[in-house]
Amino acid sequence: MPTVSTEDYLKQIRKLQEGAARVSTSALAASLGIADASVTAMLKKLAGQGLVSYQPYQGVTLTEKGEAFALRTLRRHRLWELFLVRHLGFSWDRIHEEAERLEHATSEALEAALDRALGFPRLDPHGDPIPSHDGRIEECTGAALTALPTGALARVRRVADGDPELLRHAGRLGVVPEASLEVRERFGFDGSLRVRVGGRDRFLSAEVARHVFVDLLEARDG
Amino acid sequence: MPTVSTEDYLKQIRKLQEGAARVSTSALAASLGIADASVTAMLKKLAGQGLVSYQPYQGVTLTEKGEAFALRTLRRHRLWELFLVRHLGFSWDRIHEEAERLEHATSEALEAALDRALGFPRLDPHGDPIPSHDGRIEECTGAALTALPTGALARVRRVADGDPELLRHAGRLGVVPEASLEVRERFGFDGSLRVRVGGRDRFLSAEVARHVFVDLLEARDG
DNA sequence: GCATCGTTTTAGCCTTGGCTAAAAATATCT
DNA sequence: AGATATTTTTAGCCAAGGCTAAAACGATGC
Ligand SMILES: [Mn+2]
Ligand SMILES: [Mn+2]
Ligand SMILES: [Mn+2]
Ligand SMILES: [Mn+2]
């Protein structure tokens, strides 16, 4: 049985591994808020358990076993996030820290019960894919909203879940997964946008637009 | 913030304190499944935090602060138990170990959300009282089923939650809180009973009857 | 009143997962 | 290449929460 720390390390390594093949000690330490030296020590333990492949000075990668545990924790995390929103009335900017704890207190049976109660969902409230029970996970598709031309029609697919304040802001504007929007105007000098969403015109800063990912429905001139 | 161990110790001390004023090191150790020496060490730490009053060789009692934490954990435990039954389809004999972990992963906000989703319940699935948010808890009333005379009509108030097998058995017989029953026959030699419950006659061993607590509705001759 | 017995504490050890400061390895720049 | 800067590891420390074995305490019995 992995510990809470083990689960959080593996989950974080997996996240950092997207894009870069090897994860550096310092990157992992910074993202976990833990001292570099402590991470070095932990990586040796994880390697000893066959959860990561670690060579001194060369960073880490997850083994198959490590990735399976990482995905199991991520699945529980995202099931809880959706459950908190749908069944307990939480707003999507308050669920991350709750799920961060609940994911470690979730048995196989509870995971299955959550999944069933939610109708075997494929996406969490932020639009991120929920890994399947047997460890498959869909790719995150969708282009950043910043990439859309004026006049484009698109559907929001996902909003990056890193910053609760950004989530609360986007949520108030109606920029949530499944929402349709149209790019009305682009301000090149600062990268901000005016979009039509939920029957209203909204201004989105570049900072917000960078964190919103969409599927293009139609590109037309404005 | 108390740790998981702290919460479990305080909860257990409170439980053992019912009936006996002071709780002995060995009783606590035995009930937690931890070595006596480890408990001695932990009690010193808890005393240092003002959570228990501890004098060497004299056992412990909870302080006001300690009792407040104990009741908070117990509240979360019982809210989760009820939630698992009502909203996640668990049976009442499988909820204890789940709640034993979830109780420690529950924020103030989550506690409140559970309470609301359940309609501010007063009893858990076993009929045990749920402490209020401000730390009040009702007494466990009700007489043991073994004490009822033949012909008595009663309503089940509570079933002792110590043994999952007993719970599963009682559940299958329909002996659950709120169920009405009538004592049809008493077998003095072994203390077992025949009762009418849920439209059927059921035999209850003394072992089961000892763990079922009822409110007497009417005592009449059979 | 003193020896014995069970309970409790002390002593010494362990693992987990943190920390800081210093040393070593790697990367970068001239 | 050599000097310097950055990254990573090592060394040594700590607190929490366990363990066993031995010593001390307190209750009991004679
Ligand atoms: Mn976590
Ligand atoms: Mn999410
Ligand atoms: Mn617990
Ligand atoms: Mn209960």
Side-chain angles (χ1 to χ4, degrees):
Chain A
M1 316 282 135
T3 64
V4 171
S5 287
T6 295
E7 292 183 336
D8 282 338
Y9 270 80
L10 295 176
K11 193 155 58 83
Q12 195 62 35
I13 292 167
R14 187 192 159 279
K15 188 173 185 182
L16 296 176
Q17 219 170 250
E18 296 186 294
R22 308 190 141 273
V23 175
S24 74
T25 303
S26 56
L28 183 54
S31 68
L32 288 170
I34 285 173
D36 290 11
S38 305
V39 169
T40 297
M42 188 64 165
L43 290 180
K44 288 185 194 171
K45 285 175 200 163
L46 296 178
Q49 296 171 261
L51 296 167
V52 303
S53 153
Y54 166 69
Q55 255 127 358
Y57 297 100
Q58 305 300 314
V60 275
T61 48
L62 293 176
T63 61
E64 292 245 327
K65 187 177 163 194
E67 179 158 36
F69 277 118
L71 287 172
R72 190 185 77 168
T73 307
L74 189 61
R75 170 171 164 81
R76 291 172 181 183
H77 183 101
R78 290 181 176 167
L79 285 172
W80 272 117
E81 285 193 339
L82 189 58
F83 192 84
L84 288 167
V85 167
R86 294 235 291 243
H87 286 73
L88 287 166
F90 275 73
S91 63
W92 76 342
D93 55 301
R94 303 242 170 89
I95 56 184
H96 183 78
E97 56 172 348
E98 300 288 346
E100 201 56 54
R101 278 175 284 106
L102 290 167
E103 63 189 0
H104 311 292
T106 308
S107 68
E108 191 84 15
L110 182 49
E111 176 189 316
L114 289 170
D115 197 26
R116 192 176 337 108
L118 292 166
F120 312 104
R122 294 190 5 265
L123 298 175
D124 85 356
H126 309 110
D128 288 303
I130 298 173
S132 68
H133 181 67
D134 58 322
R136 290 179 209 287
I137 182 169
E138 289 170 32
E139 287 291 311
C140 282
T141 62
L145 186 47
T146 44
L148 290 199
T150 308
L153 279 174
R155 172 164 299 128
V156 176
R157 167 68 88 173
R158 181 168 67 89
V159 179
D161 64 357
D163 179 355
E165 284 208 53
L166 188 148
L167 286 175
R168 191 159 60 254
H169 180 67
R172 274 202 306 258
L173 299 182
V175 178
V176 298
E178 303 300 297
S180 293
L181 61 75
E182 182 186 343
V183 179
R184 283 287 172 86
E185 196 174 358
R186 296 173 50 98
F187 304 96
F189 66 96
D190 68 354
S192 64
L193 305 171
R194 185 162 58 81
V195 301
R196 188 80 187 169
V197 59
R200 288 161 171 268
D201 267 38
R202 305 291 201 181
F203 284 90
L204 304 182
S205 68
E207 176 64 13
V208 170
R210 205 185 352 267
H211 292 91
V212 176
F213 298 86
V214 299
D215 285 341
L216 183 63
L217 298 179
E218 191 180 336
R220 64 177 178 199
D221 288 305
Chain B
M1 315 277 138
T3 64
V4 171
S5 288
T6 296
E7 291 184 337
D8 282 338
Y9 269 81
L10 295 176
K11 194 153 59 81
Q12 195 60 34
I13 293 167
R14 186 191 159 279
K15 189 173 184 181
L16 296 176
Q17 218 170 250
E18 296 186 292
R22 307 187 143 277
V23 175
S24 75
T25 303
S26 55
L28 183 54
S31 68
L32 287 171
I34 285 171
D36 290 11
S38 305
V39 169
T40 298
M42 188 63 165
L43 290 180
K44 287 185 194 171
K45 284 174 200 163
L46 295 178
Q49 297 171 261
L51 295 168
V52 303
S53 154
Y54 165 69
Q55 255 127 0
Y57 298 100
Q58 305 300 314
V60 274
T61 48
L62 293 176
T63 61
E64 293 243 328
K65 188 177 163 193
E67 179 158 35
F69 276 117
L71 287 172
R72 190 184 78 167
T73 307
L74 189 61
R75 170 172 166 79
R76 291 172 182 183
H77 184 101
R78 291 181 175 167
L79 285 172
W80 272 116
E81 284 193 340
L82 189 58
F83 192 83
L84 289 167
V85 168
R86 295 234 291 242
H87 291 258
L88 286 166
F90 275 72
S91 64
W92 74 341
D93 56 301
R94 303 242 171 92
I95 57 184
H96 182 80
E97 56 172 349
E98 300 287 345
E100 201 56 54
R101 279 175 285 106
L102 290 165
E103 64 189 1
H104 310 292
T106 308
S107 67
E108 189 83 17
L110 182 49
E111 175 189 316
L114 289 170
D115 196 26
R116 193 179 334 108
L118 292 166
F120 311 103
R122 289 184 15 261
L123 298 175
D124 84 358
H126 308 111
D128 288 303
I130 298 171
S132 67
H133 181 68
D134 57 322
R136 290 180 209 287
I137 183 170
E138 288 170 32
E139 286 292 312
C140 283
T141 63
L145 186 47
T146 45
L148 290 199
T150 306
L153 278 176
R155 172 164 299 130
V156 176
R157 167 67 90 176
R158 180 167 68 89
V159 180
D161 63 357
D163 180 355
E165 284 208 54
L166 189 147
L167 286 176
R168 193 160 57 252
H169 180 67
R172 273 203 306 257
L173 299 183
V175 178
V176 297
E178 303 300 300
S180 292
L181 60 77
E182 181 185 345
V183 178
R184 283 285 172 86
E185 196 173 359
R186 296 175 50 100
F187 303 96
F189 66 97
D190 69 351
S192 64
L193 305 171
R194 185 162 58 82
V195 301
R196 188 82 186 165
V197 59
R200 287 159 171 269
D201 266 38
R202 305 291 199 179
F203 284 90
L204 304 181
S205 69
E207 176 63 14
V208 170
R210 206 186 351 267
H211 291 90
V212 176
F213 298 86
V214 300
D215 286 343
L216 184 63
L217 297 178
E218 191 182 336
R220 64 176 177 200
D221 289 306

